[in-house]
């Protein structure tokens, strides 16, 4: 199945570079800010954007993203409101969004109704989903449903995932494989683990899907470490930590938005070597 995600990775590959995917939390501190940040990131030339759905009991997220989820939930975040805001944004002819990938707990999908959620996510402009609390080798039913509405179901694989289980996981994956760089939670790290190379080589032998690395990436040196080994990288905590300033009345919101954009622009430039 050719999707906007597979097309984006094909484009990036043809340009001999890696894809950059920033992560943001929807609704932190409100949906107007989410829309403004999405516009800024698109303007800065990012390749895809991962959008986290706030959840009270997130899986594998470190304190920065947990706090971001808490801010959004305390301010009344609702899934339906996000979908409506994104539909309005997607209809704006002045902005072209890169593919959006939702990071969403299966508990949210189940509570919302899986068919309703998938249809509304597609209508809102999402290209794929990552469901961290649905084991990859138990995701066949959801994978079939996402494929039916032309959404990708991205799968996560960690360095500790046994090879026989990884083989089952990649069979139901589409779009790309989210390669967790470390055994742990999200968060900024000084260096990427040396065993990551072997992890990526092992995955490369099991699937032709693009490999995108997340957890701990925060600077161009990390990107250089991944060059020639991965097809893309994901940055979450290093961006999300800046969102706390939006809730500070002493901060200039436009300046915060520009700082996020400047950082995204620097990392987008790093993809070109």
């Amino acid at each position: 199945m050719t999707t906007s995600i597979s097309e984006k990775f094909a484009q990036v590959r043809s340009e001999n570079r890696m894809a950059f995917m920033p992560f943001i939390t929807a609704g932190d501190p409100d949906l107007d800010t989410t829309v403004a940040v999405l516009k800024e990131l698109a303007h800065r030339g990012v390749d895809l954007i991962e959008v986290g759905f706030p959840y009270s009991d997130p899986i594998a997220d470190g304190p920065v993203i947990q706090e971001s989820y808490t801010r959004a939930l305390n301010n009344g975040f609702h899934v339906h409101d996000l979908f409506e805001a994104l539909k309005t944004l997607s209809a704006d002819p002045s902005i072209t969004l890169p593919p959006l990938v939702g990071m969403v707990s299966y508990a949210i999908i189940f509570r919302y109704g899986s068919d309703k959620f998938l249809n509304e996510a597609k209508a809102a402009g999402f290209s794929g989903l990552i469901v961290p609390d649905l084991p990859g080798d138990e995701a066949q039913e959801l994978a079939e449903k996402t494929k039916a509405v032309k959404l990708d179901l991205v799968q996560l694989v960690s360095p500790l995932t046994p090879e026989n289980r990884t083989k089952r996981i990649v069979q139901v994956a589409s779009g790309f494989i989210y390669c967790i760089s470390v055994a742990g939670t999200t968060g900024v790290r000084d260096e990427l683990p040396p065993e990551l190379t072997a992890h990526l080589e092992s995955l490369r032998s099991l699937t032709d899907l693009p490999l995108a690395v997340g957890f701990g990436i925060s600077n161009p040196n990390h990107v250089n470490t991944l060059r020639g080994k991965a097809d893309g990288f994901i940055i979450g905590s290093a961006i999300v930590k800046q969102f706390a300033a939006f809730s500070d009345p002493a901060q200039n919101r436009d300046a915060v938005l520009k700082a996020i954009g400047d950082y995204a622009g620097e990392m987008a430039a790093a993809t070109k070597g």
Side-chain angles (χ1 to χ4, degrees), residues 189-201:
R189 290 171 172 84
D190 293 332
E191 295 181 355
L192 297 179
E195 59 270 23
L196 177 59
T197 296
H199 176 45
L200 293 172
E201 289 175 350

Side-chain angles (χ1 to χ4, degrees), residues 46-114:
V46 307
D47 297 298
L48 307 96
I49 302 174
E50 184 182 351
V51 180
F53 285 63
Y55 185 53
S56 59
D57 190 21
I59 302 295
D61 287 313
V64 170
I65 293 177
Q66 288 185 37
E67 289 167 6
S68 180
Y69 280 3
T70 298
R71 288 192 298 268
L73 292 171
N74 287 344
N75 289 333
F77 171 83
H78 193 281
V79 172
H80 177 73
D81 294 338
L82 171 63
F83 287 154
E84 290 301 308
L86 292 181
K87 279 196 289 187
T88 300
L89 179 58
S90 298
D92 185 345
S94 68
I95 184 74
T96 301
L97 289 174
L100 303 180
V101 183
M103 173 70 87
V104 54
S105 167
Y106 186 70
I108 293 175
I109 298 174
F110 181 80
R111 185 167 61 244
Y112 203 83
S114 60

Side-chain angles (χ1 to χ4, degrees), residues 18-23 178-182 185-193 196 200 211-226 230 232-239 263 267 270:
M18 284 187 289
F20 168 40
M21 185 187 323
F23 170 98
Y178 190 127
C179 309
I180 299 173
S181 68
V182 294
T185 60
T186 58
V188 175
R189 290 171 172 84
D190 293 332
E191 295 181 355
L192 297 179
L196 177 59
L200 293 172
L211 306 179
V213 178
F215 285 42
I217 299 170
S218 62
N219 61 62
N221 288 336
H222 291 158
V223 177
N224 290 332
T225 300
L226 295 171
F233 60 94
I234 302 155
I235 296 181
S237 297
I239 290 177
Y263 176 78
M267 298 309 298

Side-chain angles (χ1 to χ4, degrees), residues 4-266:
S4 59
I5 292 176
S6 60
E7 289 175 348
K8 174 58 68 174
F9 274 100
Q11 173 202 329
V12 167
R13 190 178 299 113
S14 72
E15 296 170 356
N16 195 31
R17 63 182 183 86
M18 284 187 289
F20 168 40
M21 185 187 323
F23 170 98
I24 68 169
T25 294
D28 178 20
D30 52 51
L31 287 175
D32 286 344
T33 301
T34 301
V35 169
V37 172
L38 287 171
K39 289 181 178 180
E40 179 70 14
L41 292 174
H43 174 68
R44 297 292 185 143
V46 307
D47 297 298
L48 307 96
I49 302 174
E50 184 182 351
V51 180
F53 285 63
Y55 185 53
S56 59
D57 190 21
I59 302 295
D61 287 313
V64 170
I65 293 177
Q66 288 185 37
E67 289 167 6
S68 180
Y69 280 3
T70 298
R71 288 192 298 268
L73 292 171
N74 287 344
N75 289 333
F77 171 83
H78 193 281
V79 172
H80 177 73
D81 294 338
L82 171 63
F83 287 154
E84 290 301 308
L86 292 181
K87 279 196 289 187
T88 300
L89 179 58
S90 298
D92 185 345
S94 68
I95 184 74
T96 301
L97 289 174
L100 303 180
V101 183
M103 173 70 87
V104 54
S105 167
Y106 186 70
I108 293 175
I109 298 174
F110 181 80
R111 185 167 61 244
Y112 203 83
S114 60
D115 292 336
K116 179 182 178 183
F117 183 94
L118 295 175
N119 285 316
E120 291 192 14
K122 179 66 177 179
F126 280 97
S127 298
L129 299 175
I130 306 167
V131 186
D133 54 351
L134 179 65
D137 48 0
E138 298 177 16
Q140 185 64 46
E141 180 180 354
L142 186 63
E144 291 173 358
K145 287 187 174 185
T146 55
K147 184 177 181 180
V149 296
K150 298 183 179 180
L151 286 170
D152 281 313
L153 184 61
V154 176
Q155 296 292 342
L156 298 103
V157 179
S158 88
L160 299 181
T161 307
E163 183 173 325
N164 61 342
R165 187 162 180 261
T166 299
K167 289 178 180 178
R168 297 195 299 271
I169 291 172
V170 300
Q171 287 175 354
V172 298
S174 62
F176 63 93
I177 301 295
Y178 190 127
C179 309
I180 299 173
S181 68
V182 294
T185 60
T186 58
V188 175
R189 290 171 172 84
D190 293 332
E191 295 181 355
L192 297 179
E195 59 270 23
L196 177 59
T197 296
H199 176 45
L200 293 172
E201 289 175 350
S202 175
L203 280 170
R204 189 74 77 185
S205 71
L206 298 176
T207 181
D208 293 328
L209 288 172
L211 306 179
V213 178
F215 285 42
I217 299 170
S218 62
N219 61 62
N221 288 336
H222 291 158
V223 177
N224 290 332
T225 300
L226 295 171
R227 204 174 307 281
K229 303 169 186 175
D231 301 288
F233 60 94
I234 302 155
I235 296 181
S237 297
I239 290 177
V240 172
K241 69 179 182 180
Q242 300 183 59
F243 276 62
F246 283 122
S247 300
D248 184 349
Q251 296 287 336
N252 182 294
R253 289 176 61 87
D254 290 340
V256 177
L257 184 63
K258 182 179 183 300
I260 291 171
D262 288 345
Y263 176 78
E266 176 187 8

